[in-house]
Amino acid sequence: MNRERILAGGIALVVAVSVLAVAVVPGTIAESESDPVRPGHLDIQEVSIAPGTVSGGTATLRVDSRLSHSRGESENVTVLVRAVHLESGLVETTKRTAVPTISGEREVSVVQNLSVERSGGYRVETVVFRDGVRIAEGSKEVRGVGTLTPEYARTSVRFHWQGDDGLPPIEYTIGKTTGNRTTLDVSTFLTNEGDAPSEELRVVFTARQADSNIVADRASVEVGTVRPGRTVTPNVELAVPDGYNYYLDAVLWKDGVIVGTARSVANLNPTETVRANETVREVGLEVGDFENGPTGGRGAPETTVEEAASAGGVPGFGTSVAALALVGALLLARRHA
C-alpha cells in the first residue's frame, strides 16, 4: 500500500468521525457567535425647571432632565419625575416617560410637565430606570410657586410708584368745598413696562373713611392704549364729607380681573393725620386753604384784616379766637389810656 492511499484513507476517516460526532453530540462544532453589545453608562447630567401654564389654582412645572450617555447601548430606559411638597412631604404628582434606545457618546433631553397646586414649594425628584432597575437619581427644589401670576392676570402695566420711594402712588388735590363736602381730584400713574402696547384696562378709585372703612365715594375711569415704556395718569373726582381722613385706593382691572392695587391717604381732619400703616396726631390743616378758586389753584384769595373783621372772624381762626383778640385789644387800649 503506497503512501498516497494511506493519507487519503486517514483523511476520510477523520471526516467520517467528525460527521458522526456532529450527529451524535449536537453543538460539538458550533458556529462562533459575535460578542453581545455591552450596556452603556447612563447618568443625570442636569435638571432644569421652568414655569409653564399657570391658572388660578394650579401651575405647570416644565422639568427638563438631561441624560449623559457613554459607551455601548442603553435600551428600555424610563425617566420618572415626581413633585413632593416641601411642607407636607406628600407626593403631589408623578410622571413616567419612556426614552428611545440610546447609543454612543451623547446627551439626551427628556422634558416632562408636572401640574402642581399653586402654593408653597416642591422638591422635584428625578429617577432613571433601565430594564426596571434604578441606575441614577437626583432632586432639585423650587420655591415660591404661589407667586406665579396666572395667565388671566398678566399685564405689563404697573403702578409706577408703590410708596417705597417716598412718593405716594395716588395723588389728590382739593377741587372745591360745598357745605360740609369736599371734592378731591384723585390721580395715579401707570407705566407700561412691557414690549407691546397695553390691553384695555380700567382703574377704580375709592375713598374709604380711615376709622370705619366706610366707602365715601367711588369712581372708575377707562385706560386707553399705553405704548411700551410710556406712563399715563388716569384721574377722577371723588366727593367726600369734610373733616375726616380717608384711604385712597386704586384698583387696576383687566377683563373683569384685578391685576394691581395701590393705596395712599387723604388727610382732611385738621387734628389727625393718617398714614398707610399708622396713625399719628398732628394739627394745622384747613381744607379751605387749598380750595381751587379764582387764583387758578394757587390757594384762596387773600383776605384783609378789615374784611375779616366785617365778616366776624380772622382768616384761619375761629370766632372764639377773634373774640379773645378783641378783648386783648380793649385791655391794651385801657392800659395806655
Side-chain angles (χ1 to χ4, degrees):
M1 183 179 295
N2 58 22
R3 181 179 299 178
E4 287 79 6
R5 288 183 178 181
I6 295 174
L7 181 60
I11 294 174
L13 180 61
V14 171
V15 171
V17 172
S18 298
V19 172
L20 181 61
V22 170
V24 176
V25 186
T28 302
I29 300 178
E31 296 181 358
S32 61
E33 296 181 356
S34 59
D35 293 336
V37 177
R38 293 185 304 169
H41 176 73
L42 196 60
D43 200 0
I44 300 175
Q45 182 71 19
E46 179 187 14
V47 175
S48 60
I49 305 174
T53 303
V54 181
S55 66
T58 62
T60 299
L61 302 179
R62 185 176 182 271
V63 183
D64 185 1
S65 305
R66 300 194 67 86
L67 308 181
S68 176
H69 186 269
S70 61
R71 304 191 303 269
E73 186 175 274
S74 297
E75 299 178 329
N76 300 324
V77 175
T78 58
V79 176
L80 180 144
V81 292
R82 58 182 170 226
V84 181
H85 201 283
L86 291 178
E87 295 181 3
S88 66
L90 299 176
V91 176
E92 181 81 8
T93 184
T94 301
K95 189 167 186 179
R96 184 188 292 264
T97 302
V99 181
T101 301
I102 310 172
S103 60
E105 303 281 339
R106 54 181 298 199
E107 281 191 5
V108 177
S109 176
V110 181
V111 179
Q112 297 157 289
N113 292 323
L114 297 179
S115 180
V116 298
E117 184 181 355
R118 193 172 66 90
S119 65
Y122 297 88
R123 182 176 69 256
V124 178
E125 300 176 347
T126 303
V127 183
V128 181
F129 295 89
R130 181 169 55 201
D131 295 326
V133 179
R134 182 188 303 235
I135 61 174
E137 61 183 343
S139 66
K140 194 170 187 177
E141 292 185 357
V142 56
R143 300 177 184 272
V145 177
T147 62
L148 296 176
T149 305
E151 301 287 344
Y152 61 78
R154 292 182 182 178
T155 179
S156 57
V157 177
R158 304 281 189 274
F159 287 98
H160 194 84
W161 291 301
Q162 287 293 338
D164 298 336
D165 47 10
L167 297 173
I170 305 170
E171 293 184 344
Y172 74 96
T173 59
I174 303 299
K176 60 182 178 180
T177 58
T178 304
N180 66 338
R181 298 189 69 82
T182 298
T183 299
L184 306 178
D185 187 1
V186 184
S187 61
T188 189
F189 301 86
L190 299 174
T191 299
N192 186 352
E193 300 177 357
D195 299 324
S198 69
E199 314 87 347
E200 292 298 323
L201 302 171
R202 179 169 59 98
V203 181
V204 177
F205 293 93
T206 302
R208 200 181 305 272
Q209 203 273 327
D211 296 323
S212 64
N213 272 329
I214 294 176
V215 175
D217 198 8
R218 176 180 288 139
S220 65
V221 59
E222 300 292 333
V223 180
T225 301
V226 185
R227 290 182 296 162
R230 301 296 181 179
T231 300
V232 296
T233 56
N235 68 294
V236 298
E237 287 188 350
L238 300 178
V240 298
D242 195 6
Y244 297 93
N245 295 326
Y246 297 92
Y247 290 118
L248 299 179
D249 296 331
V251 181
L252 184 63
W253 291 78
K254 170 193 170 184
D255 193 22
V257 178
I258 295 176
V259 295
T261 60
R263 166 170 281 192
S264 187
V265 294
N267 292 306
L268 306 185
N269 186 343
T271 61
E272 185 178 19
T273 297
V274 176
R275 297 176 183 171
N277 297 318
E278 61 180 341
T279 301
V280 295
R281 295 286 177 177
E282 215 170 84
V283 296
L285 176 65
E286 287 285 347
V287 172
D289 294 343
F290 300 95
E291 179 181 351
N292 289 336
T295 57
R298 294 189 299 271
E302 294 184 0
T303 304
T304 63
V305 176
E306 292 79 10
E307 291 174 340
S310 64
V314 179
F317 297 91
T319 305
S320 59
V321 178
L324 290 175
L326 180 59
V327 171
L330 291 175
L331 293 176
L332 183 62
R334 183 176 180 180
R335 183 179 179 180
H336 287 283

